[in-house]
Amino acid sequence: MLAVIRLIFILRTVIFIISAEKVFHSRDHSDAMNDIRQAELITDTDTAQRFLSKYGFIKATDGDEPSFPAGETEVSLSLDLQEGGTASRSGSPDLRFISALKEFQQVSGLPVTGVFDDATKAAMNKPRCGVPDRDEELESPEQVFESNSTTTHTHTDAAVNASDAANNTEPHVRKQRHLAALLRSRRRRDASTWTGHMAFSKSLLKWRLIGEGYSSQLSIDEQKYIFRLAFRMWSEVSPLQFVEDTHSPLEDIDIRLGFGTGRHLGCSQRFDGAGREFAHAWFLGDIHFDDDEHFTVPNMGSGISLLKVAVHEIGHVLGLPHIYRSESIMQPSYLPQDAGFEIDWMDRKSIQSLYGVCKGRFSTVFDWIRKEQTPYGEVVVRFNTYFMRDGWYWLYENRNNRTRYGDPVAVQVGWHGLPSSGVDAYVHVWNRKADAVYFFKGVQYWRYDSENDQVFTEDSDGRSYPRLISEGFPGVSGPVDTAYYDRRDTHIYFFKGSQVFRFDVRANRLASSSPQKITEVFPAVVPSNHPVGNLDAAYFSYSHNTVFLLKGSWFWRMVSGRDRRRSVSLPPNSLMPRRDVEQQWFDICDVHQSSLRTTRR
Ligand SMILES: [Zn+2]
Ligand SMILES: [Zn+2]
């Protein structure tokens, strides 16, 4: 385990040291350089106007002059005239252009001047996603989505319940559109028409890299690996799972990916050559990558990271709009400086507003304690919380309130020698005299050798493993539901059905009153709000200095010393009313088994 953590640390350090990615708009193939079309550069107000129209800042149907706040018009006009800005045929400055320019400057984090200056020019020439930032259809309140279908609409509210967090990212007027109608019509729609009410109505989505659309620069294996990784990153923060499907008829594939240049793949949009637009996505459907761009594998240090672009475009297909935060993966411009990018908090909240949060029961939960030496020679005790579900585990970073990126990982990868199907319980006996880690499964248990990161076949006391639980812990027989060690009274608490067995570690025998009913040892604070028995996991949390009992999608927290000082009427060891697991520990998400071994580590 320690070795794994050390390796991760080294890898992360290496990734960090690699200098920031540099973007080259030419491909590596120097022999083919003459064939590469270059994207039109934004150099003057005419090209800027085309840019603003293309990405939806100037609306073609916008007949009315925009209204400026009082007093602002004069300033904008004078600034525009100084720059020799665009003018309409009648000779008066084009207010729509200035208004669009301001909007672009605002979302790009530039000073909002309405002036086509060098900074604005540079921002327009950055590599970017082809999905418009502003969509004219959405601005038109009369626009109604049409469906040719006559079948009954499916109720999909549960899947598309938008939260406030996501609404904050969407400045447009929200309109109700029926997802089922959208899905049936299969009409290609631009992803920026997201209203917070569109999403896939299923959680397992099939994807395919289409044969006529392979990249000419990366091997097919590299392309597929990167796409698997990109889909996996969304799986890690949402209940969605993705699987590559190379056999089903094309119309049954939910997300089709392909590379092309200029006119491509029967798409209604053209690609612009090397530079600027690198990809675009269509709602609930297709993702196209501009093969004139220099796409590279992650952390190459040059070119455009295909992984980063793919994660962004998948976000659109799933229903996300552009999000104007530099940390967001849904930010429209390609930001080359962060090589080790992640899906940030706002992105998570946005995708979860469409598809909900991850839920599920756990077989074992525990804090893994370890001693580490600081660079100053000081020995410190650190811990992380681990969640196991069958043969897989997640490391939960309490400080950041999220799982480690790239999880879940197979139990056998993290703990060498444990059963591949996972364990029932974990106990770390930890006091002045003893420091022993045990895992329990069925009627047996193993002692873990943390130094050598593997189970003991024989420990220093001459005991060989696995052993029968009844031999090591007289009075307790397996299988147990779960267990934990309480440092405060040096007892192991074994849970089995509706009973709890208190095992005195020092005396090596059961406490005299054991076993007892769980409801007696851990009474409910609110009558009948109690797990009663058949627990999934019991866990002593060093962060909270108290015990959590988990069952199904709920947990019960035992009152802490602090709770009892605040409220003296609370009985000792009593259980606070249940809460949802996902309200305490965020985004512990399954990924599809086909991508479990796809990891960046
Ligand atoms: Zn985009
Ligand atoms: Zn296309």
Side-chain angles (χ1 to χ4, degrees):
M1 195 60 216
L2 281 177
V4 172
I5 291 168
R6 272 197 296 272
L7 182 63
I8 292 163
F9 179 72
I10 291 165
L11 282 176
R12 290 206 162 163
T13 310
V14 169
I15 289 166
F16 184 71
I17 288 169
I18 289 173
S19 62
E21 289 172 277
K22 298 184 189 85
V23 181
F24 295 108
H25 300 316
S26 58
R27 290 149 88 185
D28 280 345
H29 317 169
S30 51
D31 55 332
M33 279 301 285
N34 293 338
D35 299 337
I36 307 293
R37 295 187 316 119
Q38 295 293 323
E40 177 186 57
L41 277 179
I42 311 300
T43 51
D44 53 21
T45 48
D46 284 345
T47 45
Q49 189 131 17
R50 278 203 287 279
F51 175 97
L52 293 170
S53 297
K54 175 157 193 193
Y55 297 110
F57 293 94
I58 294 175
K59 289 94 192 170
T61 54
D62 202 353
D64 300 328
E65 300 244 312
S67 58
F68 288 106
E72 206 179 329
T73 314
E74 289 297 318
V75 178
S76 303
L77 287 181
S78 63
L79 287 171
D80 185 54
L81 290 169
Q82 278 171 20
E83 283 290 307
T86 185
S88 68
R89 271 187 202 138
S90 64
S92 65
D94 188 335
L95 294 180
R96 284 192 304 167
F97 176 74
I98 299 168
S99 166
L101 204 55
K102 283 182 164 182
E103 206 178 341
F104 174 77
Q105 288 168 331
Q106 200 230 323
V107 301
S108 306
L110 298 168
V112 181
T113 58
V115 176
F116 181 60
D117 52 18
D118 287 345
T120 308
K121 199 185 294 178
M124 287 180 174
N125 281 311
K126 273 188 196 164
R128 63 158 286 148
C129 169
V131 172
D133 292 70
R134 295 286 182 267
D135 182 66
E136 63 196 46
E137 283 183 31
L138 205 73
E139 304 293 330
S140 154
E142 293 80 28
Q143 198 262 339
V144 175
F145 186 74
E146 290 170 13
S147 167
N148 296 328
S149 170
T150 53
T151 51
T152 317
H153 289 178
T154 316
H155 187 71
T156 55
D157 288 355
V160 294
N161 179 23
S163 78
D164 291 338
N167 294 344
N168 291 341
T169 68
E170 174 51 71
H172 297 310
V173 178
R174 287 177 51 200
K175 287 194 302 173
Q176 304 281 335
R177 286 210 186 99
H178 209 289
L179 175 64
L182 181 87
L183 285 170
R184 264 195 306 278
S185 75
R186 276 283 179 195
R187 193 172 130 185
R188 283 180 162 190
R189 296 190 57 77
D190 191 280
S192 70
T193 56
W194 186 78
T195 62
H197 282 271
M198 286 182 175
F200 283 103
S201 57
K202 53 187 175 180
S203 59
L204 178 61
L205 301 173
K206 299 174 190 169
W207 65 270
R208 181 181 299 170
L209 173 57
I210 52 176
E212 62 271 36
Y214 290 140
S215 159
S216 61
Q217 305 165 57
L218 298 167
S219 73
I220 294 173
D221 282 348
E222 281 173 330
Q223 297 166 54
K224 289 189 170 184
Y225 177 80
I226 289 169
F227 292 142
R228 268 200 295 277
L229 209 50
F231 282 114
R232 184 186 160 127
M233 287 183 73
W234 285 112
S235 272
E236 286 178 19
V237 298
S238 74
L240 294 172
Q241 297 200 18
F242 303 92
V243 62
E244 183 183 5
D245 182 327
T246 53
H247 300 294
S248 300
L250 194 59
E251 60 267 26
D252 292 344
I253 303 299
D254 301 299
I255 303 171
R256 295 166 293 266
L257 307 102
F259 292 78
T261 58
R263 283 245 168 269
H264 60 276
L265 306 171
C267 181
S268 62
Q269 297 281 313
R270 282 180 74 97
F271 274 131
D272 58 2
R276 222 172 73 218
E277 189 169 318
F278 47 65
H280 51 229
W282 300 92
F283 233 143
L284 307 171
D286 299 341
I287 299 174
H288 298 154
F289 300 89
D290 187 346
D291 205 23
D292 279 333
E293 303 296 345
H294 177 42
F295 285 116
T296 55
V297 296
N299 304 313
M300 264 287 284
S302 68
I304 293 179
S305 163
L306 180 59
L307 177 64
K308 195 169 181 183
V309 171
V311 171
H312 176 101
E313 300 302 329
I314 292 167
H316 282 316
V317 167
L318 297 178
L320 298 184
H322 283 145
I323 296 174
Y324 302 100
R325 282 158 51 96
S326 56
E327 309 80 28
S328 172
I329 192 61
M330 294 314 295
Q331 208 263 128
S333 296
Y334 180 81
L335 296 181
Q337 64 269 26
D338 54 342
F341 77 95
E342 303 296 354
I343 292 182
D344 91 332
W345 183 85
M346 182 64 92
D347 300 332
R348 287 164 182 249
K349 292 299 142 202
S350 302
I351 196 75
Q352 289 162 5
S353 73
L354 293 176
Y355 298 97
V357 296
C358 298
K359 299 177 186 216
R361 59 203 305 166
F362 298 98
S363 36
T364 310
V365 182
F366 57 90
D367 278 347
W368 178 272
I369 312 279
R370 61 191 186 278
K371 290 182 185 137
E372 276 179 13
Q373 206 160 11
T374 67
Y376 309 104
E378 193 185 350
V379 175
V380 292
V381 175
R382 296 192 197 283
F383 65 90
N384 282 105
T385 307
Y386 289 82
F387 287 81
M388 285 187 178
R389 178 177 296 151
D390 307 322
W392 300 90
Y393 76 91
W394 293 258
L395 186 159
Y396 196 83
E397 297 173 347
N398 291 294
R399 204 169 23 144
N400 302 320
N401 238 324
R402 60 164 168 72
T403 62
R404 177 178 57 186
Y405 292 112
D407 284 354
V409 174
V411 166
Q412 282 182 315
V413 172
W415 286 276
H416 303 116
L418 287 186
S420 60
S421 57
V423 294
D424 298 328
Y426 158 95
V427 162
H428 185 183
V429 175
W430 183 47
N431 56 42
R432 283 205 188 92
K433 289 185 178 168
D435 185 357
V437 170
Y438 302 107
F439 288 98
F440 299 80
K441 173 80 171 182
V443 296
Q444 294 179 312
Y445 76 102
W446 289 256
R447 185 171 171 190
Y448 202 77
D449 180 356
S450 302
E451 280 294 309
N452 296 303
D453 203 10
Q454 61 184 38
V455 295
F456 278 110
T457 46
E458 190 177 306
D459 65 14
S460 54
D461 302 326
R463 295 193 196 92
S464 59
Y465 295 92
R467 299 185 79 200
L468 285 175
I469 295 172
S470 54
E471 281 176 23
F473 304 90
V476 183
S477 60
V480 297
D481 293 331
T482 184
Y484 72 89
Y485 172 71
D486 196 325
R487 236 180 139 230
R488 299 167 298 187
D489 65 2
T490 65
H491 278 58
I492 299 173
Y493 289 72
F494 289 100
F495 295 83
K496 198 170 168 170
S498 60
Q499 292 186 311
V500 55
F501 296 71
R502 291 178 64 226
F503 188 85
D504 185 336
V505 170
R506 287 189 179 141
N508 200 42
R509 59 174 165 75
L510 279 183
S512 54
S513 54
S514 263
Q516 286 172 280
K517 286 198 154 189
I518 301 173
T519 47
E520 286 169 11
V521 180
F522 308 103
V525 167
V526 173
S528 73
N529 193 325
H530 195 281
V532 183
N534 302 320
L535 300 182
D536 291 336
Y539 148 56
F540 187 93
S541 162
Y542 288 94
S543 318
H544 299 87
N545 202 31
T546 190
V547 175
F548 290 83
L549 303 183
L550 287 84
K551 182 176 176 178
S553 59
W554 291 315
F555 75 87
W556 288 259
R557 183 175 66 82
M558 198 183 296
V559 294
S560 62
R562 201 166 62 167
D563 294 327
R564 295 192 65 223
R565 281 193 293 280
R566 275 200 215 130
S567 177
V568 286
S569 62
L570 288 172
N573 297 338
S574 57
L575 301 182
M576 300 296 276
R578 73 184 180 213
R579 287 181 58 206
D580 292 326
V581 168
E582 71 268 15
Q583 287 179 357
Q584 180 73 35
W585 297 283
F586 303 134
D587 306 345
I588 306 179
C589 299
D590 283 318
V591 302
H592 192 265
Q593 56 188 24
S594 64
S595 65
L596 275 169
R597 302 206 178 278
T598 310
T599 163
R600 281 190 285 176
R601 296 199 295 268

